Amino acid sequence: HVQLVESGGGSVQAGGSLRLSCAASGYTYNRNCMAWFRQAPGKEREGVAAVDGDRRTYYAESIKGRFTISKDTAKNTYGVYLQMNNLKPEDTAMYYCAAERVVSTPFVLQDWPYSYWGQGTQVTVS
């Protein structure tokens, strides 16, 4: 049973930084694709960043250059991080971690290929 648990959200002022973590358990496959999505009130969920089995990274245009996604490199761990710098009020949202064994490159920032989701962590930028 795969479980994803996010942490690291909080409230920061514009220009500040946060580092989100997603701890994964129940996996036996470490070349999965993992991604971060976010959803602001009244808006659709959007893909923010993804990292595939070859550790190639993909970013939404709105956060490119400010956010960095990375996989946990410790042995037998399958988590993912999202370093967020120069945060803006429009980054305010609930952030979700997602995972899937394999996702085709054109769809890594779309939510429908992902089977596993965390409960989310709130990020508020004022």
Side-chain angles (χ1 to χ4, degrees):
H1 178 61
V2 176
Q3 284 190 313
L4 303 176
V5 179
E6 302 96 334
S7 62
S11 297
V12 295
Q13 292 188 337
S17 298
L18 284 173
R19 188 185 193 217
L20 305 184
S21 299
C22 173
S25 61
Y27 261 128
T28 58
Y29 182 67
N30 64 0
R31 289 182 53 80
N32 56 312
C33 183
M34 300 192 76
W36 287 95
F37 291 78
R38 67 185 183 186
Q39 188 167 21
K43 294 188 176 181
E44 292 188 356
R45 185 164 54 190
E46 63 169 337
V48 174
V51 54
D52 67 15
D54 293 319
R55 298 183 184 267
R56 290 174 297 198
T57 57
Y58 308 85
Y59 296 98
E61 286 297 323
S62 60
I63 59 86
K64 199 172 286 186
R66 299 189 296 121
F67 292 8
T68 302
I69 189 171
S70 60
K71 278 188 175 179
D72 195 330
T73 58
K75 186 179 180 181
N76 295 329
T77 62
Y78 309 109
V80 67
Y81 302 103
L82 185 68
Q83 177 67 42
M84 305 186 296
N85 298 328
N86 191 21
L87 283 161
K88 303 177 180 181
E90 51 263 43
D91 295 319
T92 295
M94 185 72 80
Y95 283 71
Y96 298 92
C97 174
E100 183 56 65
R101 188 179 178 97
V102 178
V103 178
S104 296
T105 297
F107 309 118
V108 293
L109 293 181
Q110 297 188 30
D111 58 4
W112 59 266
Y114 294 89
S115 299
Y116 307 106
W117 291 83
Q119 294 300 306
T121 186
Q122 178 67 38
V123 171
T124 303
V125 185
S126 59

